[in-house]
Amino acid sequence: DEEAWESAPSTDLVTRRNEKEVEPTQTTSVKGVYSLDGFTVGFRMAESAPEKLYDKNGSTDNGTLWHNDCVELFFDTTEHDGSDFYQFIVTAGLEMFHARGGDTAWDPDGVRVAKHVGDDYWNLEIFVPLSALEGVDRLGSTEWRGQITRHRWGKNKPGPDENQRLNFESGKHNSSRSDFCTIQFRE
């Protein structure tokens, strides 16, 4: 409900069934805002049973956290060669996994997360400070490559498990750099 979110454009994630991109049964919209200190990605995720969000698999810095209701962020801040990208997984229980170029020992300072659960949705915000990203000292008219995802697990909830993403072009796993798309920061 902060003013900065009002003017931020929204993008809806898609899912794939029978080799075709389709609208998810529980929609997800994503927005991003940034400041001199860092950027925040905000998710609004429809959920018919928010009281049953699943967050029982894994613990902090466990790469299997994606087996929960969660979101993932992948950002390649380099010249888009895909060799060194950042990954964040944040669960409905606010457990977090992070890696840089596959190195799970990378431990960024200052990353913050917040969650709100409503009657038929849940929101999640992830703030990443620029100081945590090597070689990134400012944003504005910047272009990265990346992927943004939501995993919805149907455990004890109406509806199916769904993996939602910005792009499913190759149909491979979420970290497939061939499915990374352009993410622009605009002043």
Side-chain angles (χ1 to χ4, degrees):
D1 59 359
E2 295 163 327
E3 189 176 323
W5 293 112
E6 290 178 25
S7 61
S10 178
T11 299
D12 291 336
L13 300 184
V14 295
T15 195
R16 195 171 206 185
R17 281 190 212 95
N18 302 321
E19 302 301 316
K20 293 182 180 177
E21 286 188 14
V22 296
E23 186 174 319
T25 60
Q26 305 285 316
T27 60
T28 302
S29 62
V30 180
K31 290 184 174 189
V33 295
Y34 70 94
S35 65
L36 295 175
D37 298 330
F39 65 94
T40 304
V41 179
F43 293 81
R44 181 175 176 91
M45 296 165 278
E47 179 52 68
S48 56
E51 70 283 358
K52 295 181 179 180
L53 289 171
Y54 187 77
D55 63 349
K56 309 221 181 318
N57 191 1
S59 60
T60 298
D61 274 342
N62 182 330
T64 63
L65 285 180
W66 65 271
H67 291 286
N68 293 281
D69 281 300
C70 69
V71 301
E72 280 187 281
L73 306 175
F74 299 90
F75 295 110
D76 176 0
T77 63
T78 64
E79 295 298 315
H80 311 312
D81 66 2
S83 63
D84 189 21
F85 64 88
Y86 298 93
Q87 177 185 9
F88 298 89
I89 302 173
V90 180
T91 71
L94 301 182
E95 294 285 341
M96 185 172 15
F97 168 86
H98 37 70
R100 177 177 176 220
D103 178 7
T104 59
W106 175 67
D107 192 16
D109 286 331
V111 176
R112 297 188 310 265
V113 296
K115 174 180 86 171
H116 170 77
V117 179
D119 291 336
D120 60 356
Y121 71 94
W122 65 294
N123 290 347
L124 188 67
E125 294 181 5
I126 304 166
F127 171 77
V128 179
L130 295 183
S131 60
L133 307 175
E134 186 175 318
V136 179
D137 56 1
R138 67 179 294 275
L139 296 172
S141 301
T142 303
E143 200 172 274
W144 293 349
R145 301 277 298 157
Q147 181 69 274
I148 298 174
T149 75
R150 172 194 181 184
H151 297 272
R152 180 189 186 265
W153 293 100
K155 298 184 186 309
N156 302 317
K157 292 186 284 203
D161 292 348
E162 284 188 320
N163 181 31
Q164 302 173 20
R165 302 187 340 198
L166 284 175
N167 181 31
F168 269 101
E169 195 167 311
S170 77
K172 296 182 180 177
H173 49 83
N174 288 346
S175 63
S176 174
R177 289 175 287 294
S178 61
D179 281 347
F180 281 16
C181 45
T182 302
I183 298 172
Q184 294 180 327
F185 296 88
R186 298 184 187 149
E187 291 189 35

